[in-house]
Amino acid sequence: MKVERYLNDEIEKKGSIHISLVDPEKLSPIEAGSLARIIEKAGSTAIMVGGSLNVNESMMDELIKVIKENCNLPVIIFPSNVNTISRYADAIWFMSLLNSINTYFIVGAQVQGAAIVKKYGLEAIPMGYIIVGDGGTVGIIGQARTIPPTKAEVIALYALAAQYLGMRYVYIEGGSGVPEPVPPATIEYVKGLVNVKIIVGGGIKKREQAEALAKAGADIIVTGTILEERDVENKLRNIVEGVHAGGRSRLKKS
């Protein structure tokens, strides 16, 4: 459990950490190498690789190899299907889309992917995945019955179910490119009910948003869309600084 231990150690030290999400469909290998260096320099703790559309194993392989050649951060697969599992990654979120109406995304794809994960010797990190609000493309592809982001009590019960099923992380996802992130009040409520690590992504574009979510209880903040914008280095550094500032606030309280 090398990568999971590393993530938990970083969370313990910083209160909250940032992970960058890279989409193989949107980057050439040259761009990926440059971006990996920027991500590491900006202070991200790890890099997640995955996309909802038009991604296959060969694309994942090529991108991950380039990333690992250009930075020292661990690479974690964020799978959309069984054809996005790469032998070159350090770990994979072994995740279940808990609020999908299609059992394929709850357990079917995981059954198919388990043998591949074992064959490649990937570190599997169990995670419950909950799509809220608009949900973006992933909500459509995953056939999610999305939950309003203000329905904290419902989201919290999904997270608690994930904990009781043995999942050690819960990812509350607003969807790529959505206008607003999950409300900090919702994250605070969920964190007060569960003991697992909470990951939050979707709609986080500003330092203040990242800081508020980290302060509310997000152990990990994930951003992806911002990596596609101009002046990515400064924008990403500001987000990471916000995450760490929110994390320090939590450490002071504990």
Side-chain angles (χ1 to χ4, degrees), residues 42 205-208 210-211 226 231-244:
K205 306 178 186 71
K206 301 174 183 176
R207 175 194 166 118
E208 313 88 74
E211 184 171 348
I226 197 172
D231 194 24
V232 60
E233 187 167 353
N234 286 328
K235 289 179 179 178
L236 183 58
R237 186 182 298 111
N238 283 336
I239 293 284
V240 174
E241 287 175 354
V243 172
H244 292 165

Side-chain angles (χ1 to χ4, degrees), residues 132-164:
V132 303
D134 176 82
T137 303
V138 68
I140 298 169
I141 298 299
Q143 299 177 45
R145 182 185 285 123
T146 58
I147 307 164
T150 54
K151 286 287 184 182
E153 67 280 8
V154 178
I155 297 168
L157 289 175
Y158 270 95
L160 189 59
Q163 176 181 312
Y164 289 162

Side-chain angles (χ1 to χ4, degrees), residues 97-117:
L97 178 46
L98 299 176
N99 60 322
S100 176
I101 60 173
N102 187 338
T103 56
Y104 177 79
F105 296 104
I106 299 172
V107 72
Q110 294 78 1
V111 170
Q112 292 181 14
I116 303 172
V117 171

Side-chain angles (χ1 to χ4, degrees), residues 8 33 66 90 116 122 148 152 159 185 193 200 236 239 254:
N8 290 341
V66 171
D90 298 293
I116 303 172
L122 293 171
L193 193 67
V200 181
L236 183 58
I239 293 284
S254 60

Side-chain angles (χ1 to χ4, degrees), residues 15-35:
S16 185
I17 60 174
H18 178 270
I19 295 181
S20 293
L21 172 59
V22 175
D23 189 338
E25 186 187 9
K26 298 177 180 178
L27 288 174
S28 69
I30 293 175
E31 291 170 330
S34 174
L35 184 58

